[in-house]
Amino acid sequence: MNTKAINLADKFAKFSELWSPKIIAQMNNYHFKLAKIKGDFIWHSHPETDEVFIVIKGSLTIDLREGEVLLKEGEMYVVPRGVEHKPFAQQECQILLVEPAGTVNTGDVEGEMTAQSDVWI
C-alpha cells in the first residue's frame, strides 16, 4: 500500500504533450488520468462508459450535438456513455479524467489524436 499523497501540480510538471492522458492512480477498475489540452479535439463517443472531466486549471468547453458545456476551474461534468462530444480549450487547460481502465481517449474513433492509453506517471 502506498502512503504518499499524489500532488497534481508535480504530476502535471512531468509532461508537456497535449491530448495525451497520463494515469496517476487506479481505484478498482477506474483510472484517474491527467491531461493538458489546447485547441480542438475530435468528435467521438464512448459507447461502453461515461466519462468524467474535472478542470484543474483553465477552462474547457465540451461541445455536444445538443449544445455545449462550459467548465471553469474546480468544475466537472459527466458525459454519459454513447454521447458524442468534442472537447475544446482556447488556452492550455489542465484536466483530470476518471474512466474505466483501458478507455481510449478517442473512444470509437481511431486516428492521429489517439493516444497510448496505458501511460503512468
Side-chain angles (χ1 to χ4, degrees):
M1 181 170 86
N2 187 352
T3 58
K4 186 176 178 188
I6 297 170
N7 184 291
L8 299 182
D10 289 348
K11 294 293 187 177
F12 274 117
K14 292 182 180 287
F15 68 98
S16 59
E17 307 89 44
L18 298 175
W19 302 108
S20 184
K22 311 294 185 210
I23 304 166
I24 60 166
Q26 182 166 337
M27 179 186 74
N28 299 318
N29 194 35
Y30 280 81
H31 282 161
F32 293 75
K33 300 177 181 178
L34 298 181
K36 293 179 180 180
I37 63 173
K38 183 179 179 183
D40 262 323
F41 200 54
I42 60 169
W43 282 103
H44 68 286
S45 68
H46 301 276
E48 303 300 322
T49 185
D50 299 340
E51 184 176 29
V52 176
F53 288 83
I54 303 169
V55 176
I56 305 300
K57 185 176 181 182
S59 62
L60 164 68
T61 300
I62 301 174
D63 290 322
L64 306 168
R65 295 295 183 187
E66 306 81 33
E68 64 182 20
V69 178
L70 304 173
L71 298 175
K72 298 176 286 194
E73 288 182 20
E75 295 182 329
M76 67 175 278
Y77 181 74
V78 179
V79 177
R81 84 179 48 159
V83 172
E84 271 194 299
H85 58 286
K86 181 177 69 69
F88 169 79
Q90 185 71 37
Q91 302 297 322
E92 184 174 300
C93 179
Q94 296 179 349
I95 61 173
L96 172 66
L97 301 164
V98 182
E99 52 197 17
T103 299
V104 177
N105 68 325
T106 55
D108 60 350
V109 178
E110 183 141 347
E112 63 184 48
M113 302 281 300
T114 303
Q116 187 175 348
S117 63
D118 60 352
V119 178
W120 284 78
I121 58 169

